[in-house]
Amino acid sequence: MKSTAVRRTALAASAAALALLATACGGSGDGDKKDEGKGKADASASAAPAAEALTAAELEKAALAQADVKSGKVATKLEATEDLTKDQVKPDDEACLPLVRAQAAVAQGEPAATVKRSWTDEPKKPAEDLPVEEAMMASLDVDKMLINLASYEDGGAEQAMKGLTTAAEKCAGGFTATVAGEKLEFVKAATTAAPEGGDEGSAVTLTMAVEEDVEAPSKIVVVRKGATLVSFSAVNLASVATGEDFEVPAEVVDAQVAKLG
């Protein structure tokens, strides 16, 4: 297994690390309202005021803080290996770019402002009577999540959500990408149940080829509230080694989404 690939995947948790990715969040309630007043909505859609893009200072206030979570550690400054830029992320198929950016915690499109955070779960203490290998694997059972908040003008957040959904459909059979100079292979992209709490939501599980006989999950969760898009990229260190599935910490996603109002 490439140690750098494992580290980058573990640190660039794209979720996704980011629980649960892609179907419209809050979709059922919104769908009923849409049907009830469809004619009126169509007539007044052009007059509806667009949500304003948050400034960098406003995004900082809205970003996850240590006091918002009951466990784990929130970091407000990312390490260089985690804090990637859009020029460091390049899929071989441009249609898959939204997925690669979300996986690497890079903002979609051209945001007006963006802020990043990371959350790392507390290591679990293995039982004293476990065999050495099992104890080592138990100590690796740590969830890691990178969080990117981005605000957009002129409907950019809605466009970014649509782009992510389209990419998940077009790239379901897998794709390759170069991330920070390293070639990564994703064998499939599967949409899963979306989170609630926003105007739209999406969740995708990416399966990455780690070594010849191991394929590891990386999860992406994306939620839109108004003109703000928040993406979560999540991995579990033990899952990177074993290929076993893991659950994205929903309480962390919920805490961040709640701060967007």
Side-chain angles (χ1 to χ4, degrees):
M1 179 189 311
K2 296 181 181 179
S3 60
T4 51
V6 171
R7 175 173 172 76
R8 182 164 296 114
T9 305
L11 293 181
S14 135
L18 249 246
L20 303 31
L21 298 89
T23 47
C25 96
S28 58
D30 291 346
D32 293 340
K33 294 176 182 176
K34 193 180 296 180
D35 289 339
E36 291 172 5
K38 187 173 181 181
K40 185 182 293 184
D42 289 343
S44 61
S46 60
E52 293 185 5
L54 298 183
T55 64
E58 290 171 329
L59 283 181
E60 283 286 352
K61 291 182 180 179
L64 194 71
Q66 190 64 53
D68 300 321
V69 294
K70 296 180 180 179
S71 63
K73 182 178 180 180
V74 175
T76 58
K77 184 175 177 57
L78 275 58
E79 297 180 13
T81 52
E82 302 172 317
D83 193 11
L84 303 184
T85 57
K86 62 181 181 181
D87 60 307
Q88 293 178 285
V89 177
K90 177 78 175 168
D92 290 347
D93 184 347
E94 198 68 15
C96 305
L97 180 59
L99 292 177
V100 183
R101 284 189 172 181
Q103 198 273 343
V106 173
Q108 307 290 338
E110 298 295 336
T114 183
V115 166
K116 293 183 181 182
R117 292 287 187 270
S118 72
W119 175 87
T120 307
D121 197 7
E122 298 166 357
K124 301 170 181 62
K125 187 176 181 180
E128 295 181 0
D129 57 347
L130 281 179
V132 176
E133 288 188 7
E134 292 184 28
M136 183 180 298
M137 194 56 61
S139 67
L140 287 176
D141 187 13
V142 176
D143 294 322
K144 172 80 178 184
M145 198 180 309
L146 296 185
I147 305 168
N148 184 304
L149 292 88
S151 62
Y152 297 83
E153 297 175 343
D154 302 324
E158 291 88 340
Q159 292 173 18
M161 279 296 307
K162 183 177 181 180
L164 184 72
T165 302
T166 300
E169 295 172 352
K170 290 185 175 180
C171 305
F175 57 94
T176 56
T178 302
V179 179
E182 184 165 359
K183 199 77 168 181
L184 302 179
E185 179 186 357
F186 298 92
V187 298
K188 64 180 177 180
T191 59
T192 60
E196 298 181 353
D199 298 322
E200 292 183 275
S202 180
V204 179
T205 295
L206 301 177
T207 301
M208 190 179 87
V210 179
E211 55 182 12
E212 188 173 342
D213 57 347
V214 177
E215 295 178 349
S218 172
K219 301 194 176 187
I220 305 165
V221 175
V222 183
V223 176
R224 180 182 69 82
K225 269 206 168 184
T228 300
L229 205 68
V230 55
S231 66
F232 307 82
S233 176
V235 293
N236 176 279
L237 303 189
S239 292
V240 172
T242 65
E244 294 182 3
D245 197 16
F246 70 97
E247 293 292 331
V248 178
E251 64 275 14
V252 180
V253 174
D254 292 343
Q256 175 57 89
V257 173
K259 292 196 71 174
L260 295 178

